[in-house]
Amino acid sequence: AQSVTQPDIHITVSEGASLELRCNYSYGATPYLFWYVQSPGQGLQLLLKYFSGDTLVQGIKGFEAEFKRSQSSFNLRKPSVHWSDAAEYFCAVLGGSARQLTFGSGTQLTVLP
Amino acid sequence: NAGVTQTPKFHILKIGQSMTLQCTQDMNHNYMYWYRQDPGMGLKLIYYSVGAGITDKGEVPNGYNVSRSTTEDFPLRLELAAPSQTSVYFCASSNRNSGANVLTFGAGSRLTVL
């Protein structure tokens, strides 16, 4: 069965600083990987996805993620964080009998002024 | 295009009561899912459906039931509510025929059991 680990429960960065959120996955075949963002009291918004091809994928809001098969990782990055990026971020892998998403436990991002 | 619509957005339930969370999608998606979200736990799959008339258990199905009589609707029923079912519930849908399918999520239903 697939699984996703997000090692960092909470990360705090200053506005304008760079950001990297870590994600490690376990999946037997070629993974389909996703990053979602959830603002307080809101639903999940898709930031970006990786299906195949270029291992560096671009998403919305200036985010990017890099798929590294050798490290089973799909880390999310942003060069300069904005206060509006404060939210919870979820990494997920697609698979299983119902093609369902399996989520990591999330990383809460706090942005300091 | 409304996407995935969940009702109610908020609800308070007493222990032992029953209720149904409604989910409907207008994208003609064949796959539908129910997840619950608890703090620090991410989202866990409760039940899923691959088409009308077909449902199956996910990771945390105990205490819940579902039905899929139409392509559009996928209600989640709590028969005897317990405090452990206090959570935020998300419904999602996807189109399996699109290959590496992307799930579309509803806005969530926050349920409190007292």
Side-chain angles (χ1 to χ4, degrees), chain B residues 1 3 8 20 31 38 52 55 60 68 73 80 89 93 97-98 114:
Chain B
N1 191 345
T20 299
Y31 280 47
D38 302 298
T55 63
V60 289
R68 185 94 181 270
D73 301 307
L80 291 171
Y89 293 85
S93 70
N97 296 328
S98 67
L114 299 175

Side-chain angles (χ1 to χ4, degrees), chain A residues 9 32 34 36 38 41-44 46 49 51 88 90 94 97-106, chain B residues 31 33 35 37 40-43 45 48 50 90 94 96 99-108 110:
Chain A
I9 297 173
Y32 297 142
F34 302 78
Y36 283 85
Q38 185 181 35
Q42 302 297 310
L44 287 91
L46 180 66
K49 59 187 182 290
F51 290 165
E88 191 158 21
F90 293 96
L94 186 74
S97 56
R99 305 290 285 167
Q100 71 268 27
L101 284 175
T102 298
F103 288 85
S105 55
Chain B
Y31 280 47
Y33 312 84
Y35 287 87
Q37 183 183 25
M41 301 293 289
L43 282 80
L45 183 65
Y48 65 92
V50 302
F90 288 97
S94 69
R96 175 66 180 94
N101 50 324
V102 176
L103 275 67
T104 300
F105 283 85
R110 183 177 294 275

Side-chain angles (χ1 to χ4, degrees), chain B residues 41-111:
Chain B
M41 301 293 289
L43 282 80
K44 302 291 185 183
L45 183 65
I46 306 171
Y47 269 96
Y48 65 92
S49 169
V50 302
I54 306 170
T55 63
D56 209 344
K57 297 177 181 178
E59 187 178 356
V60 289
N62 291 343
Y64 306 95
N65 278 300
V66 294
S67 60
R68 185 94 181 270
S69 57
T70 67
T71 299
E72 295 78 19
D73 301 307
F74 190 42
L76 177 72
R77 181 150 181 90
L78 287 71
E79 290 293 350
L80 291 171
S84 60
Q85 293 178 302
T86 294
S87 188
V88 181
Y89 293 85
F90 288 97
C91 180
S93 70
S94 69
N95 185 357
R96 175 66 180 94
N97 296 328
S98 67
N101 50 324
V102 176
L103 275 67
T104 300
F105 283 85
S109 297
R110 183 177 294 275
L111 179 66

Side-chain angles (χ1 to χ4, degrees), chain A residues 39-55:
Chain A
S39 297
Q42 302 297 310
L44 287 91
Q45 181 180 24
L46 180 66
L47 280 177
L48 48 78
K49 59 187 182 290
Y50 170 77
F51 290 165
S52 65
D54 193 348
T55 56

